[in-house]
Amino acid sequence: MKKIFLIIIPLLFAANAAMGQDFDHYFQDKTLRIDYIFSGTHNTQHIAVDELLVEPRWYGKRKRLADVPVEGNGQIIVRDHKTQTVIYRNSFSTLFQEWQQEPEARHTQKSFENVFLVPMPKDTADITLELRDNRRRVCAGETHQVVPDDILIRPIGYKNVTPFTTLQAAKDTNNCIRLAYLAEGYRAEEMETFIEDARTAMEALFAHEPYKRMRDCFNIIAVKSVSQESGASEPSKGIWRNTALHAHWDTNYSERYLTTSHLKAMHDLLAGTPYEHILVLVNSNRYGGGGILNSYILSTTHNEWSQPVVVHEFGHSFAGLADEYAYEEDEIDMYPLDVEPWEKNITTKVNFHGKWESLIGIDPKAGLFEGAGYKLKGVYRGYEDCRMRTNETPEFCPACQKATQELIDFYIQ
Ligand SMILES: [Zn+2]
């Protein structure tokens, strides 16, 4: 017995020590921002590097660097050039991939900005971008080399940082999740309203579990980006407004879908602030919003449903949750019925294992309810109702709560 302990203890110690050193071994405490252009049609995709930038600090994860908590519709993978070891990985979804499902994509080639943040490597790194189709197969990939002392990497966020207010400091700012509310469609004289709206949005989030009990883990700022005009553009009404992020309704010709395609402008405004997860608050009383995994959410602030919407969209962008609704007039084939979706709150029953399986039998309300992921048949949710299904429901269903808690644990434990 003694002999076994003597062998095991040093090994465990060595493993822990190595994990703790990974970040400092491979990375500087700076952010490498990579701007990409994704372009293509319904069945082609091209990835090109637009620009490399460096920001003063790194505000993302420092542990479990090579792992992702959810698969996403794409991944960015950083490898140490010499050893080809994966030293960082993150997952994401994009508006480009949503657009690929649109009729326009069958006859038009279009391009989209995408911006990703990774910790700045100490040594030459190979960075791979992968996109996955809705069958979860890698359908596009591009690898480029980054040399950290490349003179063409542009510094940003070292001066002229957009003013911001800290709404809530995390208990441990060395181990926390950083959110930034960003103002869209607020003029300079409306900044007090923006701060008030950001506080309201923050409290809406913390009224929901598991965010409520994990509140201390979140560091939250409100970034006062100034627009020339109030509101956002409303193409179906012929109204275009000059705003900081050029956000607009009618994305993909869907009236309520509010997005921005100006991701470089968004990150320019955030440069130098302590941000990772981005929540854009739009100064409007219209109903609408959008949320894209590890990219951003947009939500209005002065509609009667603004609070549920901001929380719902954050469920997409932060926790990678799927929509749990389906409407007869608006069914979409986003999830093939013979493929298990990676999202943890819906299933096609192809490989249900590890989702909310453990709640069934223990919670009498848990089950497999047909109708989710924009399909009335063949895609299932775990509960009758949820924040990811309707605005009237006051909370996330236990399946979504479980998935979100696992994700928070991934980041902070
Ligand atoms: Zn749910």
Side-chain angles (χ1 to χ4, degrees):
M1 284 302 283
K2 266 184 185 169
K3 210 173 182 179
I4 292 168
F5 273 112
L6 278 172
I7 295 163
I8 287 173
I9 291 168
L11 275 178
L12 279 174
F13 180 76
N16 282 334
M19 278 170 74
Q21 283 165 358
D22 269 354
F23 187 90
D24 293 335
H25 183 72
Y26 290 111
F27 296 106
Q28 312 172 41
D29 184 17
K30 289 179 183 174
T31 294
L32 169 64
R33 170 181 146 187
I34 313 167
D35 296 356
Y36 292 95
I37 302 294
F38 292 180
S39 65
T41 61
H42 71 290
N43 63 358
T44 60
Q45 40 272 313
H46 309 286
I47 300 164
V49 177
D50 181 12
E51 192 175 21
L52 301 178
L53 304 99
V54 57
E55 296 192 34
R57 294 276 314 276
W58 169 248
Y59 292 107
K61 64 179 178 179
R62 287 171 184 259
K63 295 173 293 192
R64 301 171 82 170
L65 294 166
D67 302 329
V68 284
V70 287
E71 185 176 281
N73 295 333
Q75 296 193 355
I76 184 164
I77 302 152
V78 183
R79 287 185 176 83
D80 176 54
H81 178 69
K82 271 190 214 123
T83 61
Q84 286 300 299
T85 309
V86 174
I87 55 176
Y88 180 86
R89 183 191 292 267
N90 205 1
S91 54
F92 59 81
S93 294
T94 67
L95 196 54
F96 168 59
Q97 288 159 299
E98 288 180 26
W99 171 82
Q100 285 187 296
Q101 318 264 338
E102 294 295 314
E104 186 187 22
R106 302 212 155 248
H107 54 78
T108 304
Q109 179 129 212
K110 215 170 152 177
S111 73
F112 289 74
E113 294 179 359
N114 278 284
V115 174
F116 299 104
L117 307 176
V118 302
M120 178 61 88
K122 283 187 171 166
D123 211 342
T124 302
D126 296 330
I127 301 190
T128 301
L129 239 287
E130 282 179 0
L131 297 179
R132 293 165 191 236
D133 62 19
N134 65 355
R135 305 193 64 82
R136 298 174 64 175
R137 295 174 303 208
V138 173
C139 58
E142 175 68 29
T143 298
H144 60 101
Q145 204 172 89
V146 172
V147 181
D149 57 5
D150 184 344
I151 57 162
L152 293 182
I153 301 177
R154 185 164 70 93
I156 190 167
Y158 289 83
K159 53 187 178 186
N160 306 322
V161 175
T162 312
F164 66 92
T165 301
T166 301
L167 300 182
Q168 171 178 304
K171 200 172 173 188
D172 176 5
T173 50
N174 291 316
N175 185 28
C176 66
I177 298 165
R178 292 179 185 271
L179 314 188
Y181 292 103
L182 186 62
E184 166 68 341
Y186 290 83
R187 287 173 292 130
E189 55 270 37
E190 292 174 310
M191 277 308 144
E192 269 180 40
T193 310
F194 165 65
I195 297 297
E196 232 172 82
D197 292 344
R199 283 191 201 284
T200 304
M202 176 176 79
E203 294 306 329
L205 183 68
F206 290 130
H208 291 71
E209 294 291 9
Y211 299 105
K212 195 174 172 180
R213 63 173 172 266
M214 304 306 290
R215 183 169 184 151
D216 283 357
C217 305
F218 289 86
N219 195 87
I220 305 183
I221 60 167
V223 181
K224 303 176 205 175
S225 38
V226 173
S227 291
Q228 297 305 309
E229 292 181 75
S230 295
S233 295
E234 305 179 63
S236 61
K237 295 181 184 170
I239 300 168
W240 290 88
R241 296 191 171 100
N242 182 5
T243 57
L245 298 174
H246 310 283
H248 65 81
W249 271 270
D250 303 293
T251 304
N252 296 339
Y253 301 96
S254 169
E255 192 190 346
R256 290 171 173 182
Y257 197 10
L258 174 65
T259 64
T260 174
S261 49
H262 294 247
L263 296 203
K264 292 195 282 179
M266 177 185 291
H267 284 267
D268 287 351
L269 287 166
L270 288 162
T273 72
Y275 79 100
E276 184 183 17
H277 300 280
I278 305 163
L279 301 96
V280 178
L281 297 182
V282 181
N283 184 19
S284 164
N285 60 10
R286 267 187 72 166
Y287 176 74
I292 300 164
L293 175 67
N294 286 335
S295 186
Y296 66 83
I297 74 145
L298 263 96
S299 172
T300 62
T301 44
H302 302 141
N303 182 271
E304 60 172 317
W305 297 110
S306 287
Q307 295 183 41
V309 169
V310 75
V311 178
H312 172 99
E313 299 302 344
F314 192 64
H316 290 306
S317 76
F318 175 72
L321 299 174
D323 281 318
E324 292 182 21
Y325 55 79
Y327 304 118
E328 204 169 340
E329 69 278 16
D330 203 16
E331 279 201 291
I332 305 169
D333 289 320
M334 191 177 280
Y335 300 103
L337 300 183
D338 59 340
V339 177
E340 182 65 29
W342 57 261
E343 288 93 338
K344 290 180 177 172
N345 63 326
I346 60 169
T347 182
T348 50
K349 294 194 191 174
V350 171
N351 184 13
F352 178 50
H353 186 67
K355 294 196 168 174
W356 62 93
E357 196 180 18
S358 60
L359 298 170
I360 293 175
I362 292 166
D363 179 352
K365 289 180 180 163
L368 287 161
F369 295 83
E370 202 163 24
Y374 324 111
K375 284 299 264 189
L376 291 165
K377 297 277 172 209
V379 185
Y380 301 80
R381 60 190 193 276
Y383 285 77
E384 191 68 49
D385 213 347
C386 176
R387 168 60 65 250
M388 297 312 289
R389 183 170 165 84
T390 61
N391 287 325
E392 288 80 3
T393 320
E395 55 193 2
F396 287 103
C397 73
C400 285
Q401 289 186 29
K402 176 177 176 286
T404 307
Q405 181 68 54
E406 285 166 2
L407 197 122
I408 294 172
D409 292 345
F410 174 89
Y411 282 121
I412 60 157
Q413 280 191 353

